[in-house]
Amino acid sequence: MPLLRTLTCVLALVAALALPALAAPQAPLSEATQACLDCHNDATPGIVADWRRGRMSQKTPAQALQEPEAARRVSAKKVPADLMLVAVGCAECHTGDAKAHADSFDHGGYQVHPVVTPADCARCHPQEREQYSHNLMAHARGNLINNPIYMDLALQVNGVPKVEGGKAVLTPPSALAEAESCLYCHGTEIKVEGKLTRDTGDFGEMEFPKLSGWPNRGVGRKNPDGTLGSCSACHTRHQFAIEMARSPYTCSECHKGPDVPVYKVYQVSKHGNIYYAMHKQWDMAKVPWTPGKDFTAPTCAACHVSLLSDAGGNVIAQRTHQMTDRLWVRLLGLIYAHPQPKSPETWKITNANGRTLATTLTGQPAAKFLIDAHEQKARQERMAKVCGACHAQGWVQGQFARLDQTVKDSDAMVLAATRLMMEAWQKGLAQGPPKASPFDEYVEMLWTRQWLFYANSTRFASAMMGADMGVFDNGRWDMNKTVRHLEDWIKVHQKP
Amino acid sequence: MPLLRTLTCVLALVAALALPALAAPQAPLSEATQACLDCHNDATPGIVADWRRGRMSQKTPAQALQEPEAARRVSAKKVPADLMLVAVGCAECHTGDAKAHADSFDHGGYQVHPVVTPADCARCHPQEREQYSHNLMAHARGNLINNPIYMDLALQVNGVPKVEGGKAVLTPPSALAEAESCLYCHGTEIKVEGKLTRDTGDFGEMEFPKLSGWPNRGVGRKNPDGTLGSCSACHTRHQFAIEMARSPYTCSECHKGPDVPVYKVYQVSKHGNIYYAMHKQWDMAKVPWTPGKDFTAPTCAACHVSLLSDAGGNVIAQRTHQMTDRLWVRLLGLIYAHPQPKSPETWKITNANGRTLATTLTGQPAAKFLIDAHEQKARQERMAKVCGACHAQGWVQGQFARLDQTVKDSDAMVLAATRLMMEAWQKGLAQGPPKASPFDEYVEMLWTRQWLFYANSTRFASAMMGADMGVFDNGRWDMNKTVRHLEDWIKVHQKP
Amino acid sequence: MPLLRTLTCVLALVAALALPALAAPQAPLSEATQACLDCHNDATPGIVADWRRGRMSQKTPAQALQEPEAARRVSAKKVPADLMLVAVGCAECHTGDAKAHADSFDHGGYQVHPVVTPADCARCHPQEREQYSHNLMAHARGNLINNPIYMDLALQVNGVPKVEGGKAVLTPPSALAEAESCLYCHGTEIKVEGKLTRDTGDFGEMEFPKLSGWPNRGVGRKNPDGTLGSCSACHTRHQFAIEMARSPYTCSECHKGPDVPVYKVYQVSKHGNIYYAMHKQWDMAKVPWTPGKDFTAPTCAACHVSLLSDAGGNVIAQRTHQMTDRLWVRLLGLIYAHPQPKSPETWKITNANGRTLATTLTGQPAAKFLIDAHEQKARQERMAKVCGACHAQGWVQGQFARLDQTVKDSDAMVLAATRLMMEAWQKGLAQGPPKASPFDEYVEMLWTRQWLFYANSTRFASAMMGADMGVFDNGRWDMNKTVRHLEDWIKVHQKP
């Protein structure tokens, strides 16, 4: 078949060269978006080209609404008329409802707001916005800022020590430091501080709003229109590819460090291994998403967010942007694991000692703020249904039984360290609550690692099969080491 | 050429849409497998769809046996007649030889065993099973469970401390905790503990065997039929793609933590860098596998397992599932590096002091249990031949000379730390063997890091060019730090 | 459209099978290269096949010179006549100018030098070689070897401790150990130590030069022809794919450890997330490279090296192999951050105390060796132009303001630790400079982590949005912990 082969070679070569031309055609543009592009094609060519690659530039809402319901990505029943027949372009997101957006400014004759918010996205995606508002993440900023205990820990992170007379004293952190540490993920507050003039080069001097807390894409960002969150934290601008939101890398941005090593666990899990080795064969963009057919191992999104159905169209799990929907126990222990909170505003929890924590220092849960056994069971069953797409019940129940045990064991290991910590406080070897910070001495930092790093790592490893993350890689061995370290520290320090 | 381009665009677009249709057609199914699929298409759609993607569903053993020998993946000369002409489906692996499988149970009229074992796989792959039985990994569970020294260390990992009267006392770990820590990789023992009834939803109540140690895919798993190992540890179910077994991610599942940071080293090695950057251009499924042509840098499998040949068909390395075939020195030091053991059952080794270790505490090897210089040389030459596919001899010998030196240096660094540890024991600052555990005090855990984390990391970095993994990232600097730390600890603790 | 679909399936299937045949044809070979291949096709089939995949084997310099200037990868105006019309093959790089190469030896009738150097590459790429000679990396070896302070630190890494009488004494490291630790990245010196004879198997006994320091691809390698550097550190042999040099994995080889965790930061940055999730849709080989169109997030190369232009051909950034061109502050603090050095030979810097460091121990910069504010501004503007391809000015300025603050904060945190360290020295609790090494005691190693690991991690996280790398993952929390640890250490050690 040399002739056919030659012909095919030629065709395939030409096809490869022609592939960029295959991108779906540009949807019609609004006059305003065309005006934006007239300058921004030159001013910021990268984001314009990025946007052209995405579905937002290629389909109008009217077209999107014509998809069968299961495949539809727009959750609005009705989209405002002026948006219906044009691409979702610059102006469709960055202008509109100007009064609500405190950062709106006159820019080439349009009222433009730089900070696109959930309210903007909700014009087409109201259901996702509504769900997300019940999600812990939407409140990630408030839950930190309003909780004096967490803010005390944050001070030990971002405060700048100055040594005088052999003693280190902390200077409170600047807003800039907070914005790029805790608030990078939790979200800054973006405020309009006035106006400023910039030389934009080819376009001359122009006036812009002066924003504090900018840039930021934190999940609990407080926006100039008062809304909470940033959809672009996961739905990365300006291509807004669903492939990206579904990729585990997106979650890794905030979930990889030693305090929340979820992505590190996923990386060494069987699920992760399958993803890395095989995902080039998958369809990461299909809606709804069919296990086995479109993908052969879950990413974070598959278990926690996405609409899953089988090949026959039967729904396995509904799409949710309230990601605690399928989670019954909060593994991120501060300082113990506990049932998920009823309200996403965790700073409103008070424990039996009147502190803003979901458990006491010895592990008693603040039960009235936490979901009950019935709700826990309902959520576990929802997750079990996801697992059940590929695993028999015996497999799933075996997995859950281990997680239950790990929660108990890790809590006991945190308690052991905490009892030693309390002993050090009682003996006056360290200064603890209520009069002093429990986070600002060396020995307290050893104790902090126990619940903030090691217990969390061990629990996540249990939940998602992360092997060594629950053993020698910030796992159980490290927890036993902390206990021995605290014993040793106390022994040395109580010598006369 | 606009016309041709347009034509090609259309063709390519249609081709892209049609691609799933290109999957090889389903091989004929046995009646039993068809019966499985009748329900499991709905019950566990993910694994069914996953299996359909793989070669097992697309070729009968008869077809597989027709491949030229070098390309053949089935090592049996003869496959049982009832398997020859059907796809390798559910029933072909999960039924058969029911009496040997203690987990067999009546399921829809068939005797089904959930736990597929090496004996099942060996019907078509007897050579791989035979080789693997000589591999250290097949004995990973026994080598841990039967070695009292290792089990003492495991207790310091999984035991749960309870603090009473200022002292932490360990409670022995539960079977659940062991199953998800050490035994997750080493392998659990799967036992039938009775029967239980489950509500399977659409299919009503059904009876299943109650399994302990389940789920597990550990490499040394003890199966209900008495066999050792789980082929699916690396040959991931149910697609069983050779691409996946050859991907480095598969090995990372158990070889990434600080005790065996092999994958971490690979990630920053030149080989790893080439893999990550270029492997989308490679053919990861070709058998035999040709360096340079099919792939341009080795994955774990290329050096340790795969059949390699040059473009002319000359064999560079034979396929082996006894992965120590190309390894002469055991770099994983417990507590020193040493020649590979003769038998894969390392728990049968006793050193000069009668302990179950391949060296004494000061480094004397248990020579009669270890391969001799002649066998070491033979294995090194086998590996050198793999290297030689791309590297000149001078390059390879230079690399090996460094590894030799690193083994010596790292052993000397472990010895230095051990001498300090022994001093602490002798002075009564810590309680060591033979009366007390060498692993359960803070200072002993500092010493443990020296040989379990840092020496291993340094040696693996040397073997595979892992740069900082042998320097500041759990490398030589950390080893010198341990020595200084132990000195400091002794100084403080021997104050009156 | 079943007919069309079927037709397309067939075509696409055939196309897939035919794809390898699409590789660009082999360019004509020189007689010498043909002679090399006659044996090396069998002797080292992997590298031959690897080379055949690359542009060097597929285009002659004459063809390369015909490309439009912006797309041209050859920077020579004129290439030597004997190279013009043949592929850049074995002989073109490994023979030629034999007298200059001390490692040249007679091999099959040709004067072959194993170690290809920048002088060889410069025949076609003189501009890159010239730029690179001004790059810090070209001097990476000298900057280490000639700086007694750095070599003292290197001794604490590679020296082998021996414990005698309860005290550890360091034995100086072997050349082999240095070659695979610090010098693996910084570069060895490759010297011809004589000749040796090897049995090459099928080709019989042959004589080769005996090289010390080999193998090595360090960026500051000292070559047998006296040149500095190894182009193949990043332009990996023998495919020399630009896709690889532009991939972040290449940089990770030397920039991932805790001392320079640049790649770790990139991995969790938004830029990194976009790269990992989306780069299979990108054109990693296009020259010039267009943000948004060819790629939607920068790799290391995009910001630091590559020629970038917009879709209209306007240059955004010129290609540079002096990578400090777009960098104003040196974030790698030894021990503080400081303006970039004027000369790439940093070992020639002396601070106010006469030490070979860019700052004093308390942070005073050696200003006359460092670039001034004007040059810093020029470099920052060059980088801002790269950012500006996708980001508005307000975004970029907000990002830079945070980095400025982080440099200040991290320097203050290093100063706090240093003041405590100096206190320990002054009190005689540890022995410091000028009489003793500042790196060889446990407490000094705690202090070393502050500036070598944590301050660097925090600054890189700030520069490239690495979230937790600036918080709990060797970040600010770890810096505050070091300060508390040093306080605690002093308290314990000054007890009588």
Side-chain angles (χ1 to χ4, degrees), chain B residues 432-445:
Chain B
K435 290 193 186 159
S437 165
F439 306 127
D440 68 346
E441 298 179 55
Y442 171 59
V443 65
E444 292 166 342
M445 288 166 148

Side-chain angles (χ1 to χ4, degrees), chain B residues 66-85:
Chain B
Q66 281 163 17
E67 303 231 26
E69 192 172 349
R72 209 178 292 158
R73 303 182 189 190
V74 166
S75 62
K77 298 285 171 220
K78 252 180 96 170
V79 169
D82 56 325
L83 300 176
M84 275 295 271
L85 301 174

Side-chain angles (χ1 to χ4, degrees), chain A residues 10-22 249 264 267-278 280-283 290-296 309-311 314 316 387-399 401-403 405-406 408-410 412-413 415-417 419-420 423 427 442 450 458-459 461-492 495-496, chain B residues 1 4-5 7-13 41-50 53 153 155-170 173-182 184-185 188 198-201 212-217 232-239 241 243-244 247 249-254 256-260 264 267 275 279-282 284 429 439-446 448-449 452-453 489 492-496:
Chain A
V10 172
L11 282 177
L13 186 61
V14 176
L17 294 171
L19 262 175
L22 288 174
Y249 309 110
K264 285 180 78 177
Q267 283 186 300
V268 294
S269 72
K270 181 56 89 184
H271 290 157
N273 292 335
I274 302 172
Y275 170 79
Y276 296 112
M278 306 305 291
K280 54 186 162 184
Q281 299 180 1
W282 299 358
D283 185 344
T290 301
K293 188 163 156 285
D294 296 325
F295 63 99
T296 62
S309 76
D310 66 20
N314 303 304
I316 296 167
C387 308
C390 294
H391 296 291
Q393 276 192 52
W395 184 285
V396 177
Q397 295 307 323
Q399 172 69 15
R402 286 179 193 159
L403 177 56
Q405 183 66 38
T406 298
K408 278 180 210 156
D409 286 354
S410 59
M413 286 159 126
L415 179 63
R419 288 217 183 281
L420 291 168
E423 185 190 331
K427 290 184 171 167
Y442 171 59
Q450 183 81 342
T458 301
R459 291 186 203 118
S462 176
M464 306 196 304
M465 302 168 298
D468 223 346
M469 299 293 302
V471 186
F472 289 116
D473 200 358
N474 285 3
R476 292 160 192 268
W477 185 77
D478 300 88
M479 284 202 276
N480 270 314
K481 185 160 76 72
T482 298
V483 168
R484 300 307 177 189
H485 198 167
L486 291 174
E487 283 184 326
D488 189 77
W489 187 93
I490 290 172
K491 191 173 161 187
V492 168
K495 280 190 190 176
Chain B
M1 63 181 202
L4 180 57
R5 188 173 175 132
L7 173 69
T8 314
C9 286
V10 172
L11 282 177
L13 186 60
N41 253 326
D42 290 330
T44 52
I47 46 177
V48 171
D50 189 27
R53 295 170 154 266
L153 178 58
L155 173 65
Q156 310 309 325
V157 173
N158 296 320
V160 179
K162 212 170 170 176
V163 172
E164 277 169 13
K167 220 188 127 43
V169 180
L170 278 191
S174 65
L176 289 169
E178 287 180 327
E180 78 165 23
S181 57
C182 308
Y184 178 83
C185 289
T188 58
R198 284 204 180 89
D199 178 359
T200 66
S212 63
W214 187 248
N216 184 262
R217 297 170 315 268
S232 67
C234 306
H235 297 278
T236 301
R237 301 164 309 152
H238 279 94
Q239 186 174 346
E243 296 95 306
M244 174 134 191
S247 288
Y249 309 110
T250 288
C251 309
S252 82
E253 196 168 336
C254 293
K256 196 182 179 194
D259 43 332
V260 275
K264 284 181 79 175
Q267 283 186 301
Y275 170 79
H279 78 275
K280 54 187 162 183
Q281 300 180 0
W282 299 357
M284 293 289 287
L429 305 175
F439 306 127
D440 68 346
E441 298 179 55
Y442 171 59
V443 65
E444 292 166 342
M445 288 166 148
L446 297 178
T448 298
R449 291 198 301 200
L452 188 57
F453 297 171
W489 187 93
V492 167
H493 282 72
Q494 66 188 2
K495 281 190 191 177

Side-chain angles (χ1 to χ4, degrees), chain B residues 29 58 68 87 103 133 149 225 296 322 335 392 400 405 414 426 475:
Chain B
L29 300 178
Q58 295 161 5
D103 54 329
S133 73
I149 298 175
D225 66 351
T296 62
Q322 178 185 343
I335 66 172
F400 286 176
Q405 184 65 39
V414 168
Q426 281 153 14

Side-chain angles (χ1 to χ4, degrees), chain C residues 312-363:
Chain C
N314 302 303
V315 171
I316 295 167
Q318 292 292 353
R319 181 185 297 121
T320 180
H321 279 68
Q322 179 185 343
M323 295 160 206
T324 43
D325 264 3
R326 307 176 194 166
L327 297 175
W328 55 102
V329 57
R330 193 164 197 213
L331 299 180
L332 185 80
L334 299 158
I335 66 173
Y336 299 93
H338 53 77
Q340 288 286 344
K342 285 180 189 164
S343 156
E345 295 186 274
T346 61
W347 64 275
K348 295 182 176 169
I349 296 174
T350 48
N351 68 17
N353 301 326
R355 315 289 307 265
T356 48
L357 288 175
T359 64
T360 63
L361 210 51
T362 50

Side-chain angles (χ1 to χ4, degrees), chain B residues 117-197:
Chain B
T117 75
D120 297 312
C121 304
R123 274 179 226 129
C124 296
H125 307 283
Q127 197 173 333
E128 287 69 29
R129 191 248 174 123
E130 164 65 15
Q131 291 170 341
Y132 188 72
S133 73
H134 302 295
N135 198 26
L136 273 170
M137 289 189 194
H139 303 272
R141 172 187 167 76
N143 287 344
L144 180 62
I145 294 285
N146 298 321
N147 190 325
I149 298 175
Y150 294 178
M151 286 311 284
D152 180 17
L153 178 58
L155 173 65
Q156 310 309 325
V157 173
N158 296 320
V160 179
K162 212 170 170 176
V163 172
E164 277 169 13
K167 220 188 127 43
V169 180
L170 278 191
T171 315
S174 65
L176 289 169
E178 287 180 327
E180 78 165 23
S181 57
C182 308
L183 303 183
Y184 178 83
C185 289
H186 285 255
T188 58
E189 177 173 5
I190 299 175
K191 281 200 277 199
V192 180
E193 307 280 1
K195 296 192 170 185
L196 53 74
T197 300

